[in-house]
């Protein structure tokens, strides 16, 4: 499952950059169908636009869940006294727990 | 350009989302909690608003006669519907408030349980056929090729003309053909009754 590891290892910023571009394409398609309501723009907006928009939002959710999980793992490891999990390259490190 | 309320909402949501997304892509801030909240708006809330209102508007758009007229092979039917002096069924119905600018859809809609979905699926088929077979066919030549898939169902007429009204039943031809009308053996839109619906209408041909 090397492809999965590679997919999970993609930095959050890169995923979000891609999601933003894909979402912009979807928004252009939707807007096009509003100002030019002919069959092709309307069909593209209601099919390709929907799929691209959903994919970009799903990518955002994946990043948020992944970051939350990483922060959670960091908390657990710091409570046990083991070294904190290292963030992926290009990722900001998770905030350290407040001093007691 | 005449934009409806839904179209304006969709465009406003799309514009708001685009501003956030372009701002993120150009400024490239660190992924703090606040940035993620902005991205939730730009990638989630506003695009969902744009898509939801856009879908509703798109659905309404596909019901308009002007939308059907975008395929040039429909122009004879649409021109007839738009003609206030035409006596065809489609033109007369287009002059009533219930049908109005949506008369193509109201008459050709499937009124069954999954009617809307089936009607839209048929519409997709028409788009496919248009771009694969009719794009370069003149409207005049298409007149002799376009036909219904099956006889026009009287159930569609009976959505308004119930056949139970006393005035309707007082017409001798109606009374004589009552059973045949209700069982689709005689079409309301046939020659000799009230048809054809369009000036160039042809009998249905099996696909």
């Amino acid at each position: 499952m090397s492809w999965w590891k590679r997919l999970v290892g993609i930095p959050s910023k890169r995923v979000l950059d891609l999601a933003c571009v894909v979402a912009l394409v979807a928004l252009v398609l939707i807007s096009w169908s509003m100002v030019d309501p002919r069959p092709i723009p309307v069909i593209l907006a209601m099919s390709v636009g929907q799929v691209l928009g959903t994919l970009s939002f799903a990518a955002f959710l994946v990043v948020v869940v992944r970051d939350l999980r990483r922060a959670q793992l960091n908390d657990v490891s710091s409570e046990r006294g083991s070294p904190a999990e290292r963030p992926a390259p290009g990722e900001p490190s998770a905030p350290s727990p407040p001093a007691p | 350009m005449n934009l409806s309320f839904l179209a304006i909402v969709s465009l406003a949501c799309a514009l708001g989302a685009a501003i956030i997304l372009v701002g993120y892509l150009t400024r490239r801030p660190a992924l703090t909690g606040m940035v993620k909240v902005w991205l939730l708006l730009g990638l989630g809330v506003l695009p969902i608003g744009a898509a939801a209102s856009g879908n509703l508007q798109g659905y309404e758009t596909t019901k308009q006669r002007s939308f059907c007229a975008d395929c040039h092979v429909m122009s004879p039917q649409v021109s007839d519907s738009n003609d206030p002096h035409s006596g065809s069924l489609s033109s007369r119905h287009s002059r009533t408030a219930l049908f109005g600018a949506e008369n193509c859809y109201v008459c050709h809609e499937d009124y069954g349980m999954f009617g809307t979905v089936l009607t839209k699926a048929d519409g997709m088929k028409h788009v496919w056929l248009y771009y694969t077979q009719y794009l370069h066919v003149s409207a005049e030549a298409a007149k002799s090729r376009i036909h219904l898939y099956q006889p026009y169902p009287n159930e569609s007429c009976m959505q308004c003309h119930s056949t139970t009204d006393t005035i309707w039943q007082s017409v001798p031809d109606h009374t004589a053909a009552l059973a045949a009308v209700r069982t689709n053996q005689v079409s309301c839109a046939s020659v000799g009754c009230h048809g054809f619906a369009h000036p160039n209408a042809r009998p249905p041909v099996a696909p």
Side-chain angles (χ1 to χ4, degrees):
Chain A
M1 297 281 274
S2 62
W3 63 271
W4 175 249
K5 280 185 181 170
R6 236 187 308 171
L7 195 69
V8 170
I10 297 175
S12 297
K13 286 209 83 145
R14 216 167 127 192
V15 175
L16 287 176
D17 285 355
L18 192 64
C20 288
V21 173
V22 170
L24 281 171
V25 174
L27 290 169
V28 166
L29 288 177
I30 291 171
S31 303
W32 181 27
S33 75
M34 292 298 106
V35 296
D36 183 15
R38 286 181 300 151
I40 291 296
V42 170
I43 290 169
L44 279 178
M46 294 176 85
S47 54
V48 180
Q50 300 293 309
V51 171
L52 293 181
T54 306
L55 280 178
S56 65
F57 186 46
F60 169 73
L61 290 180
V62 165
V63 166
V64 169
V65 169
R66 198 172 65 171
D67 286 358
L68 283 175
R69 193 170 146 72
R70 193 169 284 153
Q72 204 177 22
L73 286 174
N74 274 340
D75 284 348
V76 170
S77 58
S78 61
E79 274 173 20
R80 286 180 184 164
S82 60
E85 189 188 72
R86 283 183 191 156
E91 297 288 290
S93 52
S96 53
Chain B
M1 193 191 312
N2 194 10
L3 293 176
S4 70
F5 174 72
L6 280 172
I8 291 169
V9 169
S10 180
L11 285 173
C13 287
L15 181 66
I19 289 171
I20 292 171
L21 297 179
V22 171
Y24 172 80
L25 286 172
T26 51
R27 294 178 64 183
R28 311 187 71 77
L31 272 183
T32 59
M34 186 49 73
V35 170
K36 283 179 183 166
V37 170
W38 277 107
L39 285 177
L40 176 66
L41 282 175
L43 287 170
V45 177
L46 290 174
I48 287 172
S53 50
N55 277 351
L56 284 173
Q57 178 56 39
Y59 174 69
E60 291 301 322
T61 298
T62 59
K63 290 160 71 174
Q64 298 291 316
R65 185 164 67 244
S66 54
F67 185 81
C68 305
D70 281 323
C71 295
H72 73 279
V73 291
M74 283 290 114
S75 54
Q77 284 85 343
V78 173
S79 301
D80 174 61
S81 269
N82 287 335
D83 181 1
H85 305 295
S86 169
S88 69
L89 273 182
S90 67
S91 181
R92 279 187 282 155
H93 281 87
S94 75
R95 297 196 283 271
T96 67
L98 180 65
F99 292 75
E102 297 180 359
N103 67 327
C104 306
Y105 184 81
V106 177
C107 285
H108 290 282
E109 181 186 8
D110 186 322
Y111 284 95
M113 181 183 273
F114 302 108
T116 303
V117 176
L118 293 174
T119 306
K120 291 296 161 202
D122 265 350
M124 287 299 296
K125 186 178 169 186
H126 293 162
V127 172
W128 173 256
L129 287 174
Y130 178 73
Y131 282 102
T132 56
Q133 294 183 21
Y134 288 95
L135 190 58
H136 303 295
V137 176
S138 70
E140 201 56 39
K143 276 184 183 178
S144 59
R145 288 174 59 177
I146 292 176
H147 56 79
L148 290 170
Y149 300 125
Q150 57 189 5
Y152 187 79
N154 289 343
E155 286 85 357
S156 296
C157 308
M158 287 162 63
Q159 298 294 317
C160 297
H161 310 286
S162 69
T163 73
T164 57
D165 186 75
T166 49
I167 297 174
W168 189 90
Q169 290 189 351
S170 67
V171 178
D173 284 348
H174 287 170
T175 319
L178 184 58
V181 166
R182 287 182 180 169
T183 54
N184 267 329
Q185 288 171 308
V186 170
S187 172
C188 304
S190 59
V191 175
C193 293
H194 299 282
F196 287 119
H198 303 285
N200 60 314
R202 298 169 60 240
V205 175

mmCIF file of all heavy atoms in Angstrom, chain B residues 21 45 92 125 142 151 166 170 180 195:
data_model
loop_
_atom_site.group_PDB
_atom_site.id
_atom_site.type_symbol
_atom_site.label_atom_id
_atom_site.label_comp_id
_atom_site.label_asym_id
_atom_site.label_seq_id
_atom_site.Cartn_x
_atom_site.Cartn_y
_atom_site.Cartn_z
ATOM 1 N N LEU B 21 -10.779 31.969 -1.655
ATOM 2 C CA LEU B 21 -9.836 30.987 -2.211
ATOM 3 C C LEU B 21 -8.656 31.671 -2.900
ATOM 4 O O LEU B 21 -7.508 31.268 -2.722
ATOM 5 C CB LEU B 21 -10.567 30.054 -3.193
ATOM 6 C CG LEU B 21 -11.674 29.199 -2.573
ATOM 7 C CD1 LEU B 21 -12.340 28.341 -3.632
ATOM 8 C CD2 LEU B 21 -11.127 28.329 -1.464
ATOM 9 N N VAL B 45 -19.003 26.022 3.008
ATOM 10 C CA VAL B 45 -20.302 26.695 3.177
ATOM 11 C C VAL B 45 -20.728 27.458 1.913
ATOM 12 O O VAL B 45 -21.824 27.229 1.386
ATOM 13 C CB VAL B 45 -20.240 27.662 4.390
ATOM 14 C CG1 VAL B 45 -21.553 28.420 4.534
ATOM 15 C CG2 VAL B 45 -19.930 26.887 5.660
ATOM 16 N N ARG B 92 -51.999 27.214 -27.901
ATOM 17 C CA ARG B 92 -53.132 27.603 -27.053
ATOM 18 C C ARG B 92 -52.808 27.380 -25.576
ATOM 19 O O ARG B 92 -53.159 28.176 -24.719
ATOM 20 C CB ARG B 92 -54.386 26.811 -27.451
ATOM 21 C CG ARG B 92 -55.087 27.411 -28.674
ATOM 22 C CD ARG B 92 -56.388 26.723 -28.947
ATOM 23 N NE ARG B 92 -56.171 25.446 -29.610
ATOM 24 C CZ ARG B 92 -57.029 24.421 -29.556
ATOM 25 N NH1 ARG B 92 -58.137 24.535 -28.861
ATOM 26 N NH2 ARG B 92 -56.769 23.307 -30.177
ATOM 27 N N LYS B 125 -31.102 12.393 -22.726
ATOM 28 C CA LYS B 125 -31.039 11.602 -23.961
ATOM 29 C C LYS B 125 -31.204 12.521 -25.178
ATOM 30 O O LYS B 125 -30.515 12.361 -26.195
ATOM 31 C CB LYS B 125 -32.145 10.545 -23.922
ATOM 32 C CG LYS B 125 -32.109 9.565 -25.070
ATOM 33 C CD LYS B 125 -33.222 8.548 -24.882
ATOM 34 C CE LYS B 125 -33.414 7.708 -26.118
ATOM 35 N NZ LYS B 125 -34.580 6.814 -25.992
ATOM 36 N N ALA B 142 -35.076 18.277 -39.988
ATOM 37 C CA ALA B 142 -35.360 17.560 -38.742
ATOM 38 C C ALA B 142 -36.847 17.333 -38.535
ATOM 39 O O ALA B 142 -37.253 16.410 -37.832
ATOM 40 C CB ALA B 142 -34.790 18.336 -37.561
ATOM 41 N N PRO B 151 -47.010 6.820 -28.201
ATOM 42 C CA PRO B 151 -48.172 7.709 -28.328
ATOM 43 C C PRO B 151 -48.281 8.642 -27.125
ATOM 44 O O PRO B 151 -47.993 8.237 -25.991
ATOM 45 C CB PRO B 151 -49.355 6.744 -28.375
ATOM 46 C CG PRO B 151 -48.779 5.458 -28.866
ATOM 47 C CD PRO B 151 -47.383 5.408 -28.334
ATOM 48 N N THR B 166 -69.054 17.459 -15.991
ATOM 49 C CA THR B 166 -70.311 17.317 -16.746
ATOM 50 C C THR B 166 -70.249 18.054 -18.091
ATOM 51 O O THR B 166 -70.814 17.592 -19.076
ATOM 52 C CB THR B 166 -71.505 17.858 -15.935
ATOM 53 O OG1 THR B 166 -71.164 19.150 -15.436
ATOM 54 C CG2 THR B 166 -71.847 16.935 -14.787
ATOM 55 N N SER B 170 -70.692 16.363 -21.666
ATOM 56 C CA SER B 170 -71.857 16.727 -22.485
ATOM 57 C C SER B 170 -71.517 16.770 -23.978
ATOM 58 O O SER B 170 -72.418 16.864 -24.812
ATOM 59 C CB SER B 170 -72.410 18.090 -22.039
ATOM 60 O OG SER B 170 -71.465 19.101 -22.335
ATOM 61 N N ALA B 180 -62.296 4.678 -24.392
ATOM 62 C CA ALA B 180 -61.095 4.633 -25.237
ATOM 63 C C ALA B 180 -60.105 5.730 -24.857
ATOM 64 O O ALA B 180 -58.887 5.527 -24.903
ATOM 65 C CB ALA B 180 -61.502 4.780 -26.704
ATOM 66 N N GLY B 195 -55.867 17.273 -32.168
ATOM 67 C CA GLY B 195 -54.485 17.351 -32.629
ATOM 68 C C GLY B 195 -54.358 17.724 -34.085
ATOM 69 O O GLY B 195 -55.358 17.936 -34.753
#
